[in-house]
Amino acid sequence: TPHMGWNSWYVWETHVTDTIMRDAADAMVANGMLNHGYMYVNIDDCWAVKPGSKDPQLGGEPRDARGRVSTNRRFPDMNALTDYIHAKGLKAGTYTSPGPKTCAGHVGAYQHEALDVERFAEWGFDFLKYDWCSYDKIAPNKSREELQKPYRLISGILKKQKRDIVLNLCQYGMGDVWEWGKQVG
C-alpha cells in the first residue's frame, strides 16, 4: 500500500495542538484504520513558532541558541508526542517548508535544513511533508533545477539520519514533478 495516514491540516488547519494529535492517534486505533494500512499521524503546519505573532501560544524565539527549530506552546514536548503515537503502533509525521516561512507564516527550514532534520529525527518523526511555501522567494524563476534543489538537499540530509524518515514532496505539480520527484528522494 502507499503511505497512508491522517494529516491535521484538512480538519484543523492553523488550530492544531498536541491534544488534537493524540486524539487523532487514538481514533485511528479505535476505528480500525491501523488494521487497514493507515499508519501515519501527521502534524501539518503550525507546530513551530510563528515569528512576530502576538499570540502567546504561537510566538517566541523561532530557534534556540544552537539554531534548532523551536515548537510553539501548543506543542510542549515533541518527544512525548511521538512516543505516544509510536506506543499506539503508529508512525509520526511532521511538516516544514524549504522557504523561510511555512504557508501559515511559521518558521521554515531555509538555511537550517540539516539542523531541522536532525531535530525531527531526535524528536522521533518518521515522515516529513516538505511544502514549497515561501521558497518561491528564493527560486523565483522556477526552472526545473530550482524546483528540484530544495528536495535534493533535504533528501540527502534525511538519508544521513539514523532513522528512516519518509519524504513527502509538496510542490503543487510544478515543472512536471511526476517526471522527476522519485529521483530527488
Side-chain angles (χ1 to χ4, degrees), residues 60-82:
E61 289 298 321
R63 297 189 175 275
D64 69 13
R66 295 181 6 209
R68 298 178 312 160
V69 66
S70 301
T71 62
N72 62 46
R73 290 190 182 140
R74 291 181 183 171
F75 291 90
D77 187 337
M78 283 295 205
N79 285 113
L81 176 58
T82 59

Side-chain angles (χ1 to χ4, degrees), residues 77-147:
D77 187 337
M78 283 295 205
N79 285 113
L81 176 58
T82 59
D83 286 350
Y84 185 88
I85 292 169
H86 291 147
K88 299 284 179 179
L90 298 162
K91 294 186 178 191
T94 193
Y95 164 102
T96 194
S97 170
K101 291 187 179 177
T102 66
C103 291
H106 295 252
V107 66
Y110 184 63
Q111 296 184 329
H112 295 89
E113 294 87 353
L115 286 171
D116 288 2
V117 168
E118 289 170 11
R119 188 81 149 163
F120 301 151
E122 173 189 305
W123 283 336
F125 283 104
D126 309 290
F127 186 102
L128 174 62
K129 178 180 174 185
Y130 208 49
D131 196 336
W132 181 265
C133 287
S134 85
Y135 195 77
D136 57 346
K137 292 173 180 64
I138 309 305
N141 77 20
K142 295 195 181 47
S143 69
R144 191 171 270 202
E145 182 179 325
E146 282 189 338
L147 292 170

Side-chain angles (χ1 to χ4, degrees), residues 144 171-182:
R144 191 171 270 202
Q171 62 81 271
Y172 325 117
M174 296 179 293
D176 301 325
V177 66
W178 52 89
E179 294 176 359
W180 54 263
K182 186 175 182 179

Side-chain angles (χ1 to χ4, degrees), residues 18-77:
D18 178 278
T19 301
I20 286 168
M21 297 310 300
R22 290 171 190 257
D23 290 348
D26 292 343
M28 284 180 67
V29 172
N31 69 21
M33 290 175 72
L34 176 64
N35 301 326
H36 296 281
Y38 289 85
M39 65 174 55
Y40 291 94
V41 181
N42 295 346
I43 307 168
D44 205 285
D45 204 343
C46 305
W47 60 263
V49 166
K50 185 172 186 177
S53 177
K54 302 295 183 206
D55 182 337
Q57 292 295 304
L58 302 178
E61 289 298 321
R63 297 189 175 275
D64 69 13
R66 295 181 6 209
R68 298 178 312 160
V69 66
S70 301
T71 62
N72 62 46
R73 290 190 182 140
R74 291 181 183 171
F75 291 90
D77 187 337

